[in-house]
Amino acid sequence: MTHRPVISGTGLFTPEESITNEELVASFNAFVDRHNAEHADAIAAGEAEALTYSSVEFIEKASGIKARHVMSKAPILAPDTMSPRWEERPDGELSIMAEIGVIAAREALAKAGREAKDVDAVLCAASNMQRAYPAMAIEIQQALGIDGFGFDMNVACSSATFGIQTAADYVRAGNAKSVLVVSPEITSGHLNWRDRDSHFIFGDVATAVLVEDAAIAPAAHWDILGTKLKTVFSNNIRNNFGFLNRATPETAGTADKLFVQEGRKVFKEVVPMVAQMILDEAERLQIDPKTLRRMWLHQANSGMNRLIAQKVLGHEASDDESPTVLDTYGNTSSAGSIIAFHLHSEDMKADDTGLICSFGAGYSAGTVFVRKAA
Ligand code: COA
């Protein structure tokens, strides 16, 4: 008996608080003023470089980002902290990453009309895990009341599509009928809010995708036509935070223990790689890329998406063909393409074909071609 994987529901948790570019730049520039005043002598003596202002115009033009949601706004904007802050929770309480994952997961289950007890597995697929163990996925599994198994997986910005293929493979192999892929992305914790080159990039969110065997899926679902993954090693997006940092305590707090990138190189190298990957996979699946009704692309940069969509569709994509959520969500790492899919798929008609596609650190890229069933 063959098992066909489908997407039967998606869910989204959006933090209430949001930071506009204006607020972000005002906070950053206040930090710059303060830093330069504190180091005025060293700067005047040529021993230190003055920091430079950030700009709202640059951010919007270079990235398309206008605002980002965050879990903890005031401490991020306060020049003294410039990072999120909340009370550490006792071990007996649901952890913050699991909490937002559970909210997104519940929505995905509700959309599919699925009871948690009928789910077989939970994959927590995200760029950063809150702790080493026990796995976030197992905590989410327990909070939802799922009898099965769960594990964490991290493929940076491509975690969700890698999670979807993994879930689809469980279904294809007959090892599971219903698998939740949950992507809680609290990116504000690994973003260097004091770095002009990157302080505007990320936002917080959680998404969930329920991948199921067509045999048990609700009538309104998305057939998964094919999935494809690719990785190519690159240091151009890197974060050296890890459990071995304590072996070199003298560098444990340096900037490379947060997100760092060579943005220009990433842009130049990833766009052709992803466009070609999409075209090759479309050919393998015998889908004419020009017939794609919609592309839900990774949400890192509007310019990257414009170029990729153009190469795939053969013309400049409209917002309808390649919707963006960058303006309000910023880059939410692995969750970006799933937010776009969640928010911009209700209007699709039966037999419409679309593409969920992610790309980012690793480098890593994943494609999920889908077709609306009903
Ligand atoms: N405000 C004002 N000016 C800024 C600035 C800021 N916040 N940050 C950088 N600049 C300046 C630079 O100093 C540089 O000035 P110069 O030309 O005088 O040297 C100029 O703007 C261009 O900087 P650059 O870093 O080359 O900008 P960019 O056009 O490449 O845009 C990104 C930066 C990050 C938006 C862009 O490279 C990008 O999106 N890359 C894709 C990768 C990505 O987002 N990955 C995330 C993980 S998937």
PDB file of all heavy atoms in Angstrom, residues 4 219-223 225 287-288 291-294 296 345-355 369-374:
ATOM      1  N   ARG A   4       0.569   8.538   0.713  1.00  0.00           N
ATOM      2  CA  ARG A   4       0.815   9.853   0.099  1.00  0.00           C
ATOM      3  C   ARG A   4       0.783  10.936   1.170  1.00  0.00           C
ATOM      4  O   ARG A   4      -0.231  11.112   1.846  1.00  0.00           O
ATOM      5  CB  ARG A   4      -0.281  10.174  -0.921  1.00  0.00           C
ATOM      6  CG  ARG A   4       0.040   9.739  -2.328  1.00  0.00           C
ATOM      7  CD  ARG A   4      -0.900  10.344  -3.347  1.00  0.00           C
ATOM      8  NE  ARG A   4      -2.290  10.378  -2.955  1.00  0.00           N
ATOM      9  CZ  ARG A   4      -2.974  11.479  -2.679  1.00  0.00           C
ATOM     10  NH1 ARG A   4      -2.391  12.660  -2.708  1.00  0.00           N
ATOM     11  NH2 ARG A   4      -4.263  11.416  -2.340  1.00  0.00           N
ATOM     12  N   ALA A 219     -10.743  16.690   3.822  1.00  0.00           N
ATOM     13  CA  ALA A 219     -10.914  16.931   2.372  1.00  0.00           C
ATOM     14  C   ALA A 219     -10.115  18.152   1.918  1.00  0.00           C
ATOM     15  O   ALA A 219      -9.503  18.144   0.848  1.00  0.00           O
ATOM     16  CB  ALA A 219     -12.400  17.116   2.059  1.00  0.00           C
ATOM     17  N   ALA A 220     -10.122  19.207   2.729  1.00  0.00           N
ATOM     18  CA  ALA A 220      -9.369  20.424   2.363  1.00  0.00           C
ATOM     19  C   ALA A 220      -7.923  20.243   2.807  1.00  0.00           C
ATOM     20  O   ALA A 220      -7.600  20.393   3.988  1.00  0.00           O
ATOM     21  CB  ALA A 220      -9.982  21.631   3.048  1.00  0.00           C
ATOM     22  N   HIS A 221      -7.067  19.861   1.866  1.00  0.00           N
ATOM     23  CA  HIS A 221      -5.655  19.687   2.212  1.00  0.00           C
ATOM     24  C   HIS A 221      -4.801  20.034   0.993  1.00  0.00           C
ATOM     25  O   HIS A 221      -5.330  20.361  -0.071  1.00  0.00           O
ATOM     26  CB  HIS A 221      -5.391  18.247   2.688  1.00  0.00           C
ATOM     27  CG  HIS A 221      -5.610  17.205   1.627  1.00  0.00           C
ATOM     28  ND1 HIS A 221      -6.701  16.370   1.623  1.00  0.00           N
ATOM     29  CD2 HIS A 221      -4.888  16.862   0.526  1.00  0.00           C
ATOM     30  CE1 HIS A 221      -6.633  15.553   0.577  1.00  0.00           C
ATOM     31  NE2 HIS A 221      -5.552  15.852  -0.108  1.00  0.00           N
ATOM     32  N   TRP A 222      -3.515  19.952   1.173  1.00  0.00           N
ATOM     33  CA  TRP A 222      -2.565  20.215   0.092  1.00  0.00           C
ATOM     34  C   TRP A 222      -1.788  18.943  -0.187  1.00  0.00           C
ATOM     35  O   TRP A 222      -1.117  18.433   0.717  1.00  0.00           O
ATOM     36  CB  TRP A 222      -1.592  21.323   0.507  1.00  0.00           C
ATOM     37  CG  TRP A 222      -2.254  22.648   0.674  1.00  0.00           C
ATOM     38  CD1 TRP A 222      -2.915  23.106   1.771  1.00  0.00           C
ATOM     39  CD2 TRP A 222      -2.325  23.674  -0.304  1.00  0.00           C
ATOM     40  NE1 TRP A 222      -3.404  24.358   1.537  1.00  0.00           N
ATOM     41  CE2 TRP A 222      -3.043  24.747   0.266  1.00  0.00           C
ATOM     42  CE3 TRP A 222      -1.848  23.808  -1.606  1.00  0.00           C
ATOM     43  CZ2 TRP A 222      -3.300  25.922  -0.426  1.00  0.00           C
ATOM     44  CZ3 TRP A 222      -2.098  24.984  -2.288  1.00  0.00           C
ATOM     45  CH2 TRP A 222      -2.814  26.018  -1.703  1.00  0.00           C
ATOM     46  N   ASP A 223      -1.863  18.431  -1.403  1.00  0.00           N
ATOM     47  CA  ASP A 223      -1.033  17.280  -1.761  1.00  0.00           C
ATOM     48  C   ASP A 223       0.419  17.735  -1.842  1.00  0.00           C
ATOM     49  O   ASP A 223       0.711  18.795  -2.426  1.00  0.00           O
ATOM     50  CB  ASP A 223      -1.458  16.719  -3.125  1.00  0.00           C
ATOM     51  CG  ASP A 223      -2.823  16.049  -3.038  1.00  0.00           C
ATOM     52  OD1 ASP A 223      -3.039  15.294  -2.074  1.00  0.00           O
ATOM     53  OD2 ASP A 223      -3.672  16.308  -3.912  1.00  0.00           O
ATOM     54  N   LEU A 225       3.536  17.271  -3.711  1.00  0.00           N
ATOM     55  CA  LEU A 225       3.905  16.658  -4.997  1.00  0.00           C
ATOM     56  C   LEU A 225       5.342  16.167  -4.980  1.00  0.00           C
ATOM     57  O   LEU A 225       5.688  15.220  -5.687  1.00  0.00           O
ATOM     58  CB  LEU A 225       3.713  17.672  -6.124  1.00  0.00           C
ATOM     59  CG  LEU A 225       2.309  18.273  -6.237  1.00  0.00           C
ATOM     60  CD1 LEU A 225       2.271  19.321  -7.336  1.00  0.00           C
ATOM     61  CD2 LEU A 225       1.278  17.178  -6.518  1.00  0.00           C
ATOM     62  N   ILE A 287       6.501  19.624 -13.716  1.00  0.00           N
ATOM     63  CA  ILE A 287       5.657  20.802 -13.499  1.00  0.00           C
ATOM     64  C   ILE A 287       6.273  21.944 -14.302  1.00  0.00           C
ATOM     65  O   ILE A 287       7.471  22.212 -14.166  1.00  0.00           O
ATOM     66  CB  ILE A 287       5.629  21.188 -11.996  1.00  0.00           C
ATOM     67  CG1 ILE A 287       4.955  20.089 -11.171  1.00  0.00           C
ATOM     68  CG2 ILE A 287       4.938  22.537 -11.788  1.00  0.00           C
ATOM     69  CD1 ILE A 287       5.144  20.255  -9.669  1.00  0.00           C
ATOM     70  N   ASP A 288       5.487  22.586 -15.134  1.00  0.00           N
ATOM     71  CA  ASP A 288       5.983  23.759 -15.846  1.00  0.00           C
ATOM     72  C   ASP A 288       6.023  24.906 -14.834  1.00  0.00           C
ATOM     73  O   ASP A 288       4.976  25.324 -14.322  1.00  0.00           O
ATOM     74  CB  ASP A 288       5.024  24.093 -17.003  1.00  0.00           C
ATOM     75  CG  ASP A 288       5.458  25.353 -17.750  1.00  0.00           C
ATOM     76  OD1 ASP A 288       6.410  26.028 -17.297  1.00  0.00           O
ATOM     77  OD2 ASP A 288       4.804  25.667 -18.768  1.00  0.00           O
ATOM     78  N   THR A 291       3.550  27.698 -14.696  1.00  0.00           N
ATOM     79  CA  THR A 291       2.153  27.466 -14.291  1.00  0.00           C
ATOM     80  C   THR A 291       1.970  27.558 -12.769  1.00  0.00           C
ATOM     81  O   THR A 291       0.853  27.368 -12.275  1.00  0.00           O
ATOM     82  CB  THR A 291       1.661  26.077 -14.747  1.00  0.00           C
ATOM     83  OG1 THR A 291       2.426  25.080 -14.057  1.00  0.00           O
ATOM     84  CG2 THR A 291       1.807  25.893 -16.242  1.00  0.00           C
ATOM     85  N   LEU A 292       3.057  27.820 -12.058  1.00  0.00           N
ATOM     86  CA  LEU A 292       2.924  27.909 -10.594  1.00  0.00           C
ATOM     87  C   LEU A 292       1.990  29.073 -10.251  1.00  0.00           C
ATOM     88  O   LEU A 292       2.206  30.201 -10.682  1.00  0.00           O
ATOM     89  CB  LEU A 292       4.282  28.153  -9.938  1.00  0.00           C
ATOM     90  CG  LEU A 292       5.221  26.964  -9.813  1.00  0.00           C
ATOM     91  CD1 LEU A 292       6.550  27.408  -9.208  1.00  0.00           C
ATOM     92  CD2 LEU A 292       4.592  25.871  -8.960  1.00  0.00           C
ATOM     93  N   ARG A 293       0.976  28.759  -9.478  1.00  0.00           N
ATOM     94  CA  ARG A 293       0.005  29.800  -9.103  1.00  0.00           C
ATOM     95  C   ARG A 293       0.592  30.747  -8.047  1.00  0.00           C
ATOM     96  O   ARG A 293       0.316  31.931  -8.038  1.00  0.00           O
ATOM     97  CB  ARG A 293      -1.266  29.101  -8.573  1.00  0.00           C
ATOM     98  CG  ARG A 293      -2.316  29.984  -7.982  1.00  0.00           C
ATOM     99  CD  ARG A 293      -2.973  30.853  -9.040  1.00  0.00           C
ATOM    100  NE  ARG A 293      -3.855  31.812  -8.403  1.00  0.00           N
ATOM    101  CZ  ARG A 293      -3.461  32.945  -7.873  1.00  0.00           C
ATOM    102  NH1 ARG A 293      -2.193  33.298  -7.896  1.00  0.00           N
ATOM    103  NH2 ARG A 293      -4.335  33.770  -7.317  1.00  0.00           N
ATOM    104  N   ARG A 294       1.412  30.166  -7.163  1.00  0.00           N
ATOM    105  CA  ARG A 294       1.991  31.020  -6.111  1.00  0.00           C
ATOM    106  C   ARG A 294       3.272  30.398  -5.562  1.00  0.00           C
ATOM    107  O   ARG A 294       3.394  29.171  -5.487  1.00  0.00           O
ATOM    108  CB  ARG A 294       0.986  31.208  -4.973  1.00  0.00           C
ATOM    109  CG  ARG A 294       1.379  32.280  -3.983  1.00  0.00           C
ATOM    110  CD  ARG A 294       0.205  32.711  -3.128  1.00  0.00           C
ATOM    111  NE  ARG A 294      -0.791  33.446  -3.902  1.00  0.00           N
ATOM    112  CZ  ARG A 294      -2.051  33.625  -3.514  1.00  0.00           C
ATOM    113  NH1 ARG A 294      -2.473  33.119  -2.390  1.00  0.00           N
ATOM    114  NH2 ARG A 294      -2.885  34.324  -4.272  1.00  0.00           N
ATOM    115  N   TRP A 296       5.612  30.611  -2.132  1.00  0.00           N
ATOM    116  CA  TRP A 296       5.781  31.116  -0.764  1.00  0.00           C
ATOM    117  C   TRP A 296       7.257  30.965  -0.440  1.00  0.00           C
ATOM    118  O   TRP A 296       7.709  29.904   0.029  1.00  0.00           O
ATOM    119  CB  TRP A 296       4.910  30.314   0.202  1.00  0.00           C
ATOM    120  CG  TRP A 296       3.454  30.358  -0.165  1.00  0.00           C
ATOM    121  CD1 TRP A 296       2.566  31.350   0.129  1.00  0.00           C
ATOM    122  CD2 TRP A 296       2.703  29.362  -0.880  1.00  0.00           C
ATOM    123  NE1 TRP A 296       1.326  31.037  -0.358  1.00  0.00           N
ATOM    124  CE2 TRP A 296       1.377  29.821  -0.977  1.00  0.00           C
ATOM    125  CE3 TRP A 296       3.025  28.122  -1.440  1.00  0.00           C
ATOM    126  CZ2 TRP A 296       0.378  29.088  -1.615  1.00  0.00           C
ATOM    127  CZ3 TRP A 296       2.041  27.401  -2.078  1.00  0.00           C
ATOM    128  CH2 TRP A 296       0.734  27.874  -2.159  1.00  0.00           C
ATOM    129  N   SER A 345      -2.882  31.531   1.425  1.00  0.00           N
ATOM    130  CA  SER A 345      -3.206  30.330   0.653  1.00  0.00           C
ATOM    131  C   SER A 345      -4.708  30.025   0.627  1.00  0.00           C
ATOM    132  O   SER A 345      -5.148  29.196  -0.166  1.00  0.00           O
ATOM    133  CB  SER A 345      -2.447  29.113   1.209  1.00  0.00           C
ATOM    134  OG  SER A 345      -2.667  28.982   2.597  1.00  0.00           O
ATOM    135  N   GLU A 346      -5.459  30.724   1.462  1.00  0.00           N
ATOM    136  CA  GLU A 346      -6.902  30.448   1.560  1.00  0.00           C
ATOM    137  C   GLU A 346      -7.626  30.643   0.229  1.00  0.00           C
ATOM    138  O   GLU A 346      -8.606  29.970  -0.063  1.00  0.00           O
ATOM    139  CB  GLU A 346      -7.543  31.379   2.602  1.00  0.00           C
ATOM    140  CG  GLU A 346      -7.178  31.048   4.045  1.00  0.00           C
ATOM    141  CD  GLU A 346      -7.928  29.838   4.588  1.00  0.00           C
ATOM    142  OE1 GLU A 346      -9.113  29.683   4.230  1.00  0.00           O
ATOM    143  OE2 GLU A 346      -7.317  29.054   5.337  1.00  0.00           O
ATOM    144  N   ASP A 347      -7.152  31.604  -0.569  1.00  0.00           N
ATOM    145  CA  ASP A 347      -7.854  31.939  -1.818  1.00  0.00           C
ATOM    146  C   ASP A 347      -7.507  30.997  -2.972  1.00  0.00           C
ATOM    147  O   ASP A 347      -8.072  31.117  -4.061  1.00  0.00           O
ATOM    148  CB  ASP A 347      -7.506  33.377  -2.235  1.00  0.00           C
ATOM    149  CG  ASP A 347      -6.017  33.552  -2.473  1.00  0.00           C
ATOM    150  OD1 ASP A 347      -5.225  32.982  -1.690  1.00  0.00           O
ATOM    151  OD2 ASP A 347      -5.634  34.230  -3.444  1.00  0.00           O
ATOM    152  N   MET A 348      -6.595  30.060  -2.754  1.00  0.00           N
ATOM    153  CA  MET A 348      -6.200  29.172  -3.853  1.00  0.00           C
ATOM    154  C   MET A 348      -7.333  28.188  -4.166  1.00  0.00           C
ATOM    155  O   MET A 348      -8.096  27.790  -3.282  1.00  0.00           O
ATOM    156  CB  MET A 348      -4.943  28.396  -3.453  1.00  0.00           C
ATOM    157  CG  MET A 348      -3.798  29.287  -3.044  1.00  0.00           C
ATOM    158  SD  MET A 348      -2.626  29.677  -4.331  1.00  0.00           S
ATOM    159  CE  MET A 348      -1.873  28.121  -4.648  1.00  0.00           C
ATOM    160  N   LYS A 349      -7.408  27.799  -5.447  1.00  0.00           N
ATOM    161  CA  LYS A 349      -8.500  26.916  -5.880  1.00  0.00           C
ATOM    162  C   LYS A 349      -7.998  25.474  -6.035  1.00  0.00           C
ATOM    163  O   LYS A 349      -6.792  25.251  -6.147  1.00  0.00           O
ATOM    164  CB  LYS A 349      -9.029  27.395  -7.226  1.00  0.00           C
ATOM    165  CG  LYS A 349      -9.416  28.862  -7.206  1.00  0.00           C
ATOM    166  CD  LYS A 349     -10.684  29.115  -7.984  1.00  0.00           C
ATOM    167  CE  LYS A 349     -11.284  30.470  -7.659  1.00  0.00           C
ATOM    168  NZ  LYS A 349     -10.313  31.582  -7.613  1.00  0.00           N
ATOM    169  N   ALA A 350      -8.923  24.541  -6.081  1.00  0.00           N
ATOM    170  CA  ALA A 350      -8.548  23.134  -6.274  1.00  0.00           C
ATOM    171  C   ALA A 350      -7.701  23.012  -7.541  1.00  0.00           C
ATOM    172  O   ALA A 350      -8.004  23.655  -8.558  1.00  0.00           O
ATOM    173  CB  ALA A 350      -9.801  22.273  -6.395  1.00  0.00           C
ATOM    174  N   ASP A 351      -6.647  22.219  -7.455  1.00  0.00           N
ATOM    175  CA  ASP A 351      -5.687  21.962  -8.542  1.00  0.00           C
ATOM    176  C   ASP A 351      -4.656  23.064  -8.742  1.00  0.00           C
ATOM    177  O   ASP A 351      -3.772  22.923  -9.585  1.00  0.00           O
ATOM    178  CB  ASP A 351      -6.387  21.675  -9.879  1.00  0.00           C
ATOM    179  CG  ASP A 351      -7.004  20.287  -9.887  1.00  0.00           C
ATOM    180  OD1 ASP A 351      -6.501  19.429  -9.127  1.00  0.00           O
ATOM    181  OD2 ASP A 351      -7.982  20.071 -10.608  1.00  0.00           O
ATOM    182  N   ASP A 352      -4.770  24.179  -8.013  1.00  0.00           N
ATOM    183  CA  ASP A 352      -3.703  25.184  -8.085  1.00  0.00           C
ATOM    184  C   ASP A 352      -2.421  24.583  -7.520  1.00  0.00           C
ATOM    185  O   ASP A 352      -2.453  23.899  -6.497  1.00  0.00           O
ATOM    186  CB  ASP A 352      -4.066  26.418  -7.237  1.00  0.00           C
ATOM    187  CG  ASP A 352      -4.990  27.368  -7.969  1.00  0.00           C
ATOM    188  OD1 ASP A 352      -5.156  27.213  -9.195  1.00  0.00           O
ATOM    189  OD2 ASP A 352      -5.545  28.276  -7.311  1.00  0.00           O
ATOM    190  N   THR A 353      -1.307  24.868  -8.211  1.00  0.00           N
ATOM    191  CA  THR A 353      -0.012  24.348  -7.772  1.00  0.00           C
ATOM    192  C   THR A 353       0.833  25.485  -7.213  1.00  0.00           C
ATOM    193  O   THR A 353       0.823  26.589  -7.751  1.00  0.00           O
ATOM    194  CB  THR A 353       0.730  23.696  -8.959  1.00  0.00           C
ATOM    195  OG1 THR A 353      -0.130  22.699  -9.499  1.00  0.00           O
ATOM    196  CG2 THR A 353       2.031  23.048  -8.529  1.00  0.00           C
ATOM    197  N   GLY A 354       1.544  25.212  -6.135  1.00  0.00           N
ATOM    198  CA  GLY A 354       2.385  26.240  -5.522  1.00  0.00           C
ATOM    199  C   GLY A 354       3.666  25.639  -4.984  1.00  0.00           C
ATOM    200  O   GLY A 354       3.872  24.419  -5.001  1.00  0.00           O
ATOM    201  N   LEU A 355       4.525  26.522  -4.504  1.00  0.00           N
ATOM    202  CA  LEU A 355       5.834  26.096  -4.007  1.00  0.00           C
ATOM    203  C   LEU A 355       6.165  26.788  -2.694  1.00  0.00           C
ATOM    204  O   LEU A 355       6.148  28.018  -2.614  1.00  0.00           O
ATOM    205  CB  LEU A 355       6.918  26.450  -5.043  1.00  0.00           C
ATOM    206  CG  LEU A 355       8.360  26.352  -4.544  1.00  0.00           C
ATOM    207  CD1 LEU A 355       8.752  24.904  -4.309  1.00  0.00           C
ATOM    208  CD2 LEU A 355       9.315  27.012  -5.532  1.00  0.00           C
ATOM    209  N   PHE A 369       6.826  21.287  -3.285  1.00  0.00           N
ATOM    210  CA  PHE A 369       5.786  21.600  -4.269  1.00  0.00           C
ATOM    211  C   PHE A 369       4.469  21.028  -3.775  1.00  0.00           C
ATOM    212  O   PHE A 369       4.418  19.868  -3.349  1.00  0.00           O
ATOM    213  CB  PHE A 369       6.130  21.003  -5.640  1.00  0.00           C
ATOM    214  CG  PHE A 369       7.132  21.823  -6.419  1.00  0.00           C
ATOM    215  CD1 PHE A 369       8.495  21.623  -6.256  1.00  0.00           C
ATOM    216  CD2 PHE A 369       6.714  22.807  -7.301  1.00  0.00           C
ATOM    217  CE1 PHE A 369       9.422  22.373  -6.963  1.00  0.00           C
ATOM    218  CE2 PHE A 369       7.637  23.573  -8.016  1.00  0.00           C
ATOM    219  CZ  PHE A 369       8.988  23.359  -7.844  1.00  0.00           C
ATOM    220  N   VAL A 370       3.423  21.846  -3.816  1.00  0.00           N
ATOM    221  CA  VAL A 370       2.118  21.402  -3.290  1.00  0.00           C
ATOM    222  C   VAL A 370       1.007  21.684  -4.308  1.00  0.00           C
ATOM    223  O   VAL A 370       1.145  22.566  -5.161  1.00  0.00           O
ATOM    224  CB  VAL A 370       1.775  22.121  -1.962  1.00  0.00           C
ATOM    225  CG1 VAL A 370       2.701  21.688  -0.839  1.00  0.00           C
ATOM    226  CG2 VAL A 370       1.784  23.641  -2.117  1.00  0.00           C
ATOM    227  N   ARG A 371      -0.076  20.927  -4.178  1.00  0.00           N
ATOM    228  CA  ARG A 371      -1.254  21.179  -5.019  1.00  0.00           C
ATOM    229  C   ARG A 371      -2.500  21.138  -4.147  1.00  0.00           C
ATOM    230  O   ARG A 371      -2.673  20.216  -3.355  1.00  0.00           O
ATOM    231  CB  ARG A 371      -1.361  20.148  -6.144  1.00  0.00           C
ATOM    232  CG  ARG A 371      -2.572  20.401  -7.051  1.00  0.00           C
ATOM    233  CD  ARG A 371      -2.513  19.556  -8.314  1.00  0.00           C
ATOM    234  NE  ARG A 371      -1.379  19.920  -9.142  1.00  0.00           N
ATOM    235  CZ  ARG A 371      -0.725  19.075  -9.957  1.00  0.00           C
ATOM    236  NH1 ARG A 371      -1.092  17.822 -10.023  1.00  0.00           N
ATOM    237  NH2 ARG A 371       0.293  19.487 -10.680  1.00  0.00           N
ATOM    238  N   LYS A 372      -3.340  22.145  -4.327  1.00  0.00           N
ATOM    239  CA  LYS A 372      -4.568  22.214  -3.511  1.00  0.00           C
ATOM    240  C   LYS A 372      -5.502  21.089  -3.930  1.00  0.00           C
ATOM    241  O   LYS A 372      -5.782  20.908  -5.112  1.00  0.00           O
ATOM    242  CB  LYS A 372      -5.221  23.584  -3.756  1.00  0.00           C
ATOM    243  CG  LYS A 372      -6.444  23.845  -2.926  1.00  0.00           C
ATOM    244  CD  LYS A 372      -6.117  24.814  -1.810  1.00  0.00           C
ATOM    245  CE  LYS A 372      -7.103  24.807  -0.749  1.00  0.00           C
ATOM    246  NZ  LYS A 372      -8.197  25.475  -0.553  1.00  0.00           N
ATOM    247  N   ALA A 373      -5.993  20.336  -2.950  1.00  0.00           N
ATOM    248  CA  ALA A 373      -6.822  19.173  -3.275  1.00  0.00           C
ATOM    249  C   ALA A 373      -8.284  19.541  -3.395  1.00  0.00           C
ATOM    250  O   ALA A 373      -9.001  19.036  -4.257  1.00  0.00           O
ATOM    251  CB  ALA A 373      -6.645  18.096  -2.217  1.00  0.00           C
ATOM    252  N   ALA A 374      -8.778  20.390  -2.503  1.00  0.00           N
ATOM    253  CA  ALA A 374     -10.207  20.728  -2.556  1.00  0.00           C
ATOM    254  C   ALA A 374     -10.418  22.076  -1.917  1.00  0.00           C
ATOM    255  O   ALA A 374      -9.580  22.546  -1.154  1.00  0.00           O
ATOM    256  CB  ALA A 374     -11.011  19.693  -1.800  1.00  0.00           C
TER     257      ALA A 374
END
